[in-house]
Amino acid sequence: QQQQSKSSNSLKASCTRRYMAPNWQPLLPLLSALCLGLALRAAVAPYPHSGQSRPPMFGDYEAQRHWQEVTTALPVSEWYINSSRNDLLYWGLDYPPLSAYHSLALGYRAAAINASWVALGSSRGEQSPPHKLWMRGTVLTSDLFIHLPVLLASVAYSPVSPLLLLSAVAMLSPGQPLVDHGHFQYNCISLGLAAAAHLLVLRRRRLLGTCLFCLALNYKQMALYHSLPLFCHLLGDCCNLLLSAAAPWRAVRLLCSLAAVVLATFLLVWSPLLAAAPNGRAALAALQRLFPIGRGLFEDHVANVWCTINVVVKLKTIISQGAAAAVAAVATLAACAPALVRCLYRPGRSALLFASFAASLAFFLFSYQAHEKSILLPAMSAVLLLPEAPLFACSFQLLAAISMWPLLAYKDGLALPTVCCAGVFVIAVGLLFRWSPSIRPASRLVVALHACLHAPALAAVLAGAVLPAPASLPYLYSLLVSVSCCAAFCVFLLLAHLRLWRLIDLA
């Protein structure tokens, strides 16, 4: 009996220790990959930012700094309204209120460090080394606490091994570090919130996921790229519950709860603007700034369908802005439709992730006023697809970075970090495919297809590095990169739709 008692006590103590002790085995590779991702972002930060030493507008870096200046110096009622103190032609606020509140918080902190950084009017063009260090640090902190943990969570329970290499590939996706930590933006916040919303919805934490997605939408309106698949997935869940004989009332309760969460989140975020001026004038001004039809169908050399068609047919001269917006809306919905129908018809993990990728890519290719940096939204969906289709996801992330070459290399002077980030990513992907026993080897035909999708854009990049552009065609290589990437993106969109309807099997 004494022996049995001792054995029982030792077993209880062992179980207690095992329960209390954390499982470090999956945590260590995730932390190692996190350190690798932070190191990559810190290595990009010392390079030039958008508009560095280029007056009078100074680029996106100055835009983010100027928003801190405006939000700290002016009342909420004037943030989105043109005045003598707030010239909207000089980087006027054109993001939703949550982004403005973030600028307000950063502005208060910047003023505490050095008030001249956000002094109204006199601080324009501020880019001293201490200020640049502060601004770069705010992006790195946002990335560390919002975006990167979500990326790690997306691969933490993946059947693909080894976990260290898979999480490293997720951390080293080149597009977002180059835009946020090189060009300079805070995409990490909206992308992190949107990715977290996807993961929570897939784990049936629908209300919290919906709340986070509303926050992402209220930080950057481009999160609309992911809104339709999430809506169809949740509506499909409600329809399945409604058709179930055992739980029809659960469908009504879920639908009402989702609607209440959306309304409550939007009301909470917009309430300062609604209360700032009579008749909601400040909120209406903000809405007008969020969707500016007057900016035209596209800008610069974005790798979408409209810019590609414009090489042959000058769309801006033959179609009005209103008609162009309508055509873009119809084309975008048509390109999304197969994915949305599939997501509504049979919601599930694979359906939501591929539909999110297809819809966001369709928005990039066909929507009105898309930017080069908007490719980060389908690239985020591609990161979430790593466990589902590793080769497909990695191939797209690399192509997304190449498509921004005209912006990063020709405008911002980030050619070297772009090449290095892409090279590090390719090495990590190669190691993953070489050492992962759980990744099914792709056929030679599939590998050849992906090589063909990348070859024209890479050839244009190399040609631009070796041969000067003709004087009569100064933007030749930018157009070649954009057009070739657009064609490849259309193929990726088609492949995603075919995979959604299980007509093909992607590696």
Side-chain angles (χ1 to χ4, degrees):
Q1 286 181 348
Q2 288 180 351
Q3 276 187 342
Q4 287 180 351
S5 177
K6 289 181 180 179
S7 176
S8 176
N9 290 337
S10 64
L11 180 61
K12 287 180 181 179
S14 174
C15 290
T16 302
R17 284 194 301 271
R18 193 158 51 241
Y19 176 77
M20 294 178 62
N23 183 6
W24 295 105
Q25 188 172 359
L27 188 59
L28 289 176
L30 293 176
L31 288 177
S32 300
L34 178 63
C35 294
L36 190 61
L38 287 175
L40 177 75
R41 286 154 175 79
V44 173
Y47 286 88
H49 55 71
S50 170
Q52 183 166 310
S53 304
R54 293 205 302 269
M57 297 299 286
F58 297 101
D60 279 2
Y61 178 93
E62 169 64 10
Q64 300 291 339
R65 188 216 58 80
H66 179 64
W67 294 345
Q68 297 173 23
E69 167 193 346
V70 167
T71 52
T72 52
L74 302 180
V76 178
S77 58
E78 296 184 31
W79 285 358
Y80 293 92
I81 295 176
N82 192 53
S83 67
S84 58
R85 297 194 297 172
N86 184 23
D87 182 8
L88 294 183
L89 295 179
Y90 184 82
W91 297 121
L93 264 168
D94 54 5
Y95 283 161
L98 192 59
S99 183
Y101 305 151
H102 180 232
S103 296
L104 177 64
L106 294 180
Y108 278 137
R109 182 57 185 158
I113 299 173
N114 189 334
S116 66
W117 290 352
V118 289
L120 187 64
S122 62
S123 60
R124 289 191 178 185
E126 171 66 47
Q127 50 184 5
S128 61
H131 184 258
K132 184 175 179 179
L133 181 63
W134 149 254
M135 294 285 278
R136 293 294 197 192
T138 61
V139 183
L140 194 64
T141 304
S142 302
D143 218 343
L144 174 61
F145 289 105
I146 298 178
H147 186 225
L148 297 185
V150 178
L151 294 186
L152 291 178
S154 69
V155 300
Y157 302 101
S158 170
V160 177
S161 60
L163 182 58
L164 174 60
L165 286 176
L166 182 66
S167 53
V169 168
M171 291 290 100
L172 298 176
S173 178
Q176 182 266 333
L178 288 167
V179 172
D180 280 8
H181 302 273
H183 176 84
F184 197 90
Q185 282 194 336
Y186 293 94
N187 294 289
C188 53
I189 296 178
S190 59
L191 292 176
L193 292 172
H198 282 75
L199 298 180
L200 286 169
V201 166
L202 290 174
R203 292 183 176 275
R204 298 191 178 278
R205 304 288 298 276
R206 301 181 183 95
L207 299 183
L208 181 56
T210 300
C211 177
L212 289 185
F213 185 76
C214 290
L215 293 177
L217 192 56
N218 278 288
Y219 190 88
K220 278 197 173 183
Q221 62 269 39
M222 280 77 76
L224 280 169
Y225 284 23
H226 293 121
S227 60
L228 293 179
L230 270 173
F231 173 78
C232 290
H233 177 89
L234 292 170
L235 184 60
D237 278 348
C238 292
C239 291
N240 287 343
L241 289 174
L242 187 62
L243 295 175
S244 171
W249 288 107
R250 286 178 57 196
V252 177
R253 186 175 63 184
L254 175 60
L255 190 60
C256 292
S257 300
L258 291 171
V261 167
V262 172
L263 290 174
T265 305
F266 271 84
L267 184 61
L268 179 65
V269 173
W270 284 80
S271 55
L273 282 171
L274 292 170
N279 302 321
R281 188 167 62 95
L284 290 175
L287 287 174
Q288 292 174 352
R289 291 290 299 168
L290 299 186
F291 303 101
I293 298 297
R295 293 178 67 174
L297 186 58
F298 64 90
E299 291 183 22
D300 298 326
H301 300 116
V302 58
N304 74 350
V305 169
W306 308 124
C307 184
T308 301
I309 293 176
N310 195 70
V311 175
V312 181
V313 180
K314 301 304 177 184
L315 295 175
K316 293 183 178 181
T317 62
I318 64 174
I319 187 171
S320 65
Q321 290 179 344
V327 170
V330 172
T332 302
L333 289 175
C336 290
L340 302 180
V341 171
R342 173 66 177 83
C343 210
L344 180 63
Y345 165 67
R346 188 174 294 174
R349 175 184 174 83
S350 183
L352 175 59
L353 294 181
F354 273 102
S356 179
F357 172 82
S360 56
L361 184 54
F363 266 85
F364 176 79
L365 288 172
F366 296 100
S367 66
Y368 191 87
Q369 189 50 227
H371 294 270
E372 305 102 314
K373 302 179 287 293
S374 299
I375 196 61
L376 294 181
L377 285 101
M380 182 273 285
S381 297
V383 174
L384 298 182
L385 280 171
L386 270 172
E388 300 274 338
L391 179 59
F392 179 87
C394 294
S395 177
F396 182 84
Q397 291 171 66
L398 181 59
L399 187 66
I402 296 172
S403 73
M404 293 187 287
W405 179 261
L407 169 70
L408 298 172
Y410 299 151
K411 285 189 176 182
D412 295 343
L414 296 172
L416 179 59
T418 302
V419 172
C420 291
C421 286
V424 169
F425 179 71
V426 169
I427 292 172
V429 171
L431 293 175
L432 175 65
F433 279 83
R434 182 178 179 85
W435 289 347
S436 176
S438 53
I439 294 180
R440 178 166 47 86
S443 67
R444 292 183 179 180
L445 180 61
V446 173
V447 174
L449 171 63
H450 285 284
C452 291
L453 291 176
H454 290 78
L458 288 174
V461 169
L462 292 175
V466 175
L467 302 173
S472 58
L473 298 171
Y475 302 111
L476 174 64
Y477 296 118
S478 295
L479 281 174
L480 288 176
V481 171
S482 299
V483 170
S484 55
C485 286
C486 175
F489 288 151
C490 290
V491 175
F492 272 101
L493 179 61
L494 177 62
L495 292 175
H497 281 309
L498 293 175
R499 170 61 178 78
L500 266 167
W501 289 96
R502 301 190 181 280
L503 299 178
I504 61 172
D505 183 19
L506 294 177

